[in-house]
Amino acid sequence: MTQAKFDAVIHEPTRLQICGILAAVTEAEFSTLRDTIGIADSVTSKHLKTLEGAGYVRMTKRGFSGRPRTWARLTTAGRTAFAGHLAELRRLASITTPED
């Protein structure tokens, strides 16, 4: 069972989107993340570096048609942290009662 735990690193909206995309796949190319979220290269790079610094993302470069491409994947720690963060958000949502 996943322990519900708020994670401020993941909670930032762009990083939350990146983690959500990466959680659904084994890995994703930098340009796919950038284009799916609709942000600039520099913004994508900044957030990936933050996630990498936290140990949540691992980035690798591989050549493709003679050009290096950057790929990102969630680490085991990243998957665990993301699952815990989602569990905490679900827990918070379940205790919220709408006002009549």
Side-chain angles (χ1 to χ4, degrees):
M1 184 169 159
T2 301
Q3 178 183 355
K5 182 179 179 202
F6 187 88
D7 191 305
V9 172
I10 291 174
H11 191 68
E12 192 284 329
T14 301
R15 291 192 291 268
L16 185 61
Q17 290 177 78
I18 289 170
C19 288
I21 293 165
L22 293 177
V25 297
T26 302
E27 64 183 351
E29 188 185 0
F30 180 95
S31 63
T32 300
L33 294 169
R34 178 197 64 211
D35 295 346
T36 301
I37 299 170
I39 55 177
D41 284 353
S42 61
V43 175
T44 307
S45 180
K46 174 187 165 193
H47 288 294
L48 283 171
K49 285 179 183 176
T50 299
L51 290 165
E52 184 178 43
Y56 294 165
V57 166
R58 179 171 297 122
M59 292 189 291
T60 57
K61 290 192 184 273
R62 294 195 300 267
F64 183 76
S65 297
R67 293 181 25 196
R69 304 225 178 190
T70 301
W71 293 80
R73 69 172 49 230
L74 280 179
T75 62
T76 301
R79 287 189 182 279
T80 300
F82 182 64
H85 188 72
L86 289 182
E88 177 62 6
L89 294 177
R90 286 185 190 107
R91 186 191 73 77
L92 291 171
S94 74
I95 61 174
T96 304
T97 54
E99 298 200 15
D100 295 335

